[in-house]
Amino acid sequence: MTFKTHKLACLLVVSPLFLAGCNLAPDYQKPDAAIPTALPKGEAYDKAYQQGANGKSAAQVPWQHFVQDTRLQKVIALALANNRDLAQTVADVAAARATYKGEYADQFPEIDAGVSGTREKSSDGQISSSYEATLGLSSYEIDLFGKARNMTKMELETYLSSAETARAAKITLIGETATAWLTLAADKSLLKLAQDTAASAQKTMAISKKRLELGVDSRVDLSSAETTYQSARADVASYQTQVAQDINALNLLVGQSLDAALLPGNLPTDGGWLAQVPAGISSKVLLERPDVLAAEHTLKAANADIGVARAAYFPTLSLTASGGLASSALSDLFSGGASHIWSVAPSATLPIFDWGANSAEVAYTKAERDKDIAAYQYTLQTAFQETADALARRGTIEEQLSAQRALVSAAQKSYDLYFKRYKAGIDSFEDALTYQRTLYSAQQTLISTRLTELSNRVTLYRVLGGGLAGTKDEKPVSQ
């Protein structure tokens, strides 16, 4: 075989790889955000923007800095390491990345090497042998119109979407774990309050019984005292159940039974377990939320899918080619005595009549792209609504806490006053009982409000994209 023949064969194999310059996917245009450029302002929101420090956004604050209680930090770390639901999501990311890498590899020809030999006897009794060593490719589809590249792009964006979904799942798990831990602390506080109230009511009931024996009180007073005692006693049993269920919920989130040393005590009065969350005015921070980024990657995948569907209108060109050595003796195959062999077999297919199948597929991919545009915008609108709600709660919760503390203080003073008047025989026990019930209810509401305040910090941190700053998997890797 001459040098020119070898050159021609190489060109036939290699040159089609450089012909793939046409891309039929539409140019990607980022959709309108469909949300205001600024987060809400007004009486309910203004105080929310006055908190936080250092001018950082929530997304720039690592969760280890936001969570300031070392026990809760350890619990969240255990949840991120062991939560089985999160493990499923992470496995989905690994599967999506493997699919993308497989699709990426399909863009290039697969080169195979082979050695074969035959030995046969003809009808005249002659025995012949032949041996071949070849290197070649089989049925490689040349990407003239960007089909393979768009399929690879689609799988890449699908992988990136799943990676962002996993990041969102981690942020959600951090928030759920913190909230469950705080709820346990609140229920422990409510349990202790119920136990203290039951103990106080039992003492009051004993006083009423003695006064009844002395003829000072009536059975109505004793029955009223017993009502408060039994009510608190029922609350004790209810909160004991709730505390046990809270621990079970935490164990599920963490993926193992927690050591008692990692469980909280009663809720703090100062909210010191969590840092204040910085909140800026611009809504652009929402564009970097993992769930929003996941929706955009899904949209980009749908955009690439249109290019795949459009490529079906055009011819496909496949190539099978091989080259190598052949000899009648195996010993001569690699020792210079063999002959050079080669083959090139291109094939082309052009769609003519498909009865509208290609048009239907293109229309379908465009409709899917339009649906993903709406999904992206709805995800942003949902993020805006979640953030606005959290900011409204943050802007008013301190006033509510202040009022509730004042109500507890006033109810405590009223109960102490009327109980002293009851013991002095000035008033009936009904008056003292009314204020005792008011005090108990106000104390329960104060605990619930303190939980609301702390939970709101967690929610605001989450909806503003906080949770993963400074971690190794802060952003998914595209290659």
Side-chain angles (χ1 to χ4, degrees):
M1 185 185 296
T2 66
F3 173 75
K4 289 184 178 180
T5 306
H6 278 296
K7 186 176 180 182
L8 176 61
C10 291
L11 286 173
L12 285 171
V13 174
V14 176
S15 60
L17 303 181
F18 300 95
L19 297 177
C22 183
N23 192 336
L24 301 178
D27 292 335
Y28 174 73
Q29 300 292 331
K30 192 181 185 72
D32 178 68
I35 59 173
T37 56
L39 293 169
K41 298 178 182 179
E43 188 175 358
Y45 302 97
D46 290 344
K47 291 184 179 179
Y49 300 112
Q50 300 172 8
Q51 303 175 45
N54 301 325
K56 291 184 177 181
S57 67
Q60 295 173 313
V61 179
W63 68 263
Q64 297 90 337
H65 296 174
F66 169 66
V67 176
Q68 300 182 333
D69 185 276
T70 55
R71 295 167 299 174
L72 181 53
Q73 288 177 349
K74 292 177 181 178
V75 170
I76 291 175
L78 286 171
L80 290 172
N82 300 319
N83 182 270
R84 300 306 191 271
D85 191 40
L86 179 61
Q88 294 179 59
T89 303
V90 173
D92 287 340
V93 176
R97 184 170 185 178
T99 301
Y100 154 64
K101 286 191 170 184
E103 194 65 51
Y104 179 79
D106 285 344
Q107 294 182 96
F108 305 99
E110 181 179 336
I111 308 298
D112 298 314
V115 177
S116 64
T118 61
R119 184 174 175 82
E120 60 183 7
K121 182 178 181 180
S122 64
S123 59
D124 60 2
Q126 297 294 320
I127 297 176
S128 63
S129 301
S130 64
Y131 302 93
E132 291 183 1
T134 59
L135 186 70
L137 55 90
S138 177
S139 299
Y140 169 61
E141 184 176 334
I142 301 170
D143 193 21
L144 295 177
F145 301 100
K147 177 182 176 181
R149 278 172 293 149
N150 281 316
M151 289 183 69
T152 301
K153 175 69 173 176
M154 183 172 63
E155 293 298 344
L156 171 61
E157 295 299 339
T158 299
Y159 153 61
L160 294 176
S161 177
S162 67
E164 292 295 350
T165 298
R167 294 179 69 235
K170 290 181 180 181
I171 292 175
T172 298
L173 179 60
I174 291 170
E176 287 180 346
T177 304
T179 300
W181 199 81
L182 295 170
T183 300
L184 173 59
D187 286 338
K188 282 188 171 183
S189 297
L190 289 168
L191 173 59
K192 185 178 185 306
L193 174 62
Q195 290 170 333
D196 292 345
T197 301
S200 176
Q202 191 172 29
K203 291 179 182 179
T204 301
M205 191 168 60
I207 294 173
S208 295
K209 188 174 181 180
K210 288 182 179 180
R211 289 168 65 89
L212 175 63
E213 292 171 353
L214 295 173
V216 178
D217 278 358
S218 66
R219 290 191 177 276
V220 173
D221 292 327
L222 179 60
S223 296
S224 298
E226 186 177 5
T227 298
T228 301
Y229 167 70
Q230 297 297 348
S231 177
R233 184 182 165 205
D235 285 347
V236 169
S238 176
Y239 290 129
Q240 284 174 336
T241 300
Q242 192 60 51
V243 166
Q245 292 175 342
D246 291 342
I247 294 174
N248 293 337
L250 261 178
N251 289 340
L252 178 61
L253 286 169
V254 173
Q256 66 182 58
S257 295
L258 282 172
D259 191 297
L262 296 179
L263 299 179
N266 296 329
L267 274 181
T269 57
D270 60 356
W273 286 348
L274 303 173
Q276 292 286 359
V277 181
I281 300 295
S282 174
S283 65
K284 287 184 179 180
V285 67
L286 303 181
L287 296 174
E288 296 302 315
R289 276 183 33 159
D291 57 338
V292 174
L293 292 174
E296 185 174 8
H297 284 303
T298 299
L299 172 58
K300 289 179 179 179
N303 199 70
D305 196 22
I306 295 175
V308 174
R310 285 176 172 174
Y313 282 117
F314 297 91
T316 58
L317 178 61
S318 297
L319 180 66
T320 297
S322 65
L325 303 170
S327 173
S328 59
L330 182 62
S331 59
D332 292 337
L333 193 59
F334 299 106
S335 61
S339 300
H340 295 279
I341 59 173
W342 61 270
S343 68
V344 177
S347 64
T349 302
L350 175 65
I352 298 177
F353 298 113
D354 65 359
W355 310 103
N358 287 345
S359 297
E361 183 64 21
V362 171
Y364 173 80
T365 56
K366 287 182 177 180
E368 286 292 299
R369 189 267 314 274
D370 293 343
K371 183 183 78 171
D372 289 332
I373 289 175
Y376 170 76
Q377 292 175 328
Y378 184 74
T379 301
L380 261 175
Q381 290 175 343
T382 301
F384 186 89
Q385 182 254 324
E386 289 176 345
T387 305
D389 286 350
L391 287 170
R393 180 73 287 192
R394 171 54 47 190
T396 57
I397 190 63
E398 289 298 335
E399 181 67 18
Q400 184 176 343
L401 268 174
S402 177
Q404 194 63 38
R405 292 190 191 101
L407 176 59
V408 169
S409 178
Q412 183 71 61
K413 291 177 183 178
S414 296
Y415 170 67
D416 292 343
L417 175 62
Y418 276 92
F419 189 72
K420 288 179 181 178
R421 289 171 64 87
Y422 159 68
K423 291 178 68 175
I426 300 174
D427 289 326
S428 70
F429 184 69
E430 284 297 323
D431 294 326
L433 179 61
T434 298
Y435 285 99
Q436 185 182 35
R437 289 171 176 166
T438 300
L439 173 61
Y440 183 43
S441 176
Q443 289 171 324
Q444 288 177 313
T445 303
L446 179 58
I447 291 172
S448 298
T449 306
R450 282 158 49 197
L451 173 61
T452 298
E453 192 274 332
L454 286 170
S455 297
N456 172 256
R457 296 192 196 188
V458 174
T459 299
L460 189 58
Y461 182 64
R462 176 182 61 80
V463 299
L464 287 173
L468 295 181
T471 60
K472 292 181 180 179
D473 59 349
E474 184 175 354
K475 283 287 185 183
V477 181
S478 61
Q479 292 288 345

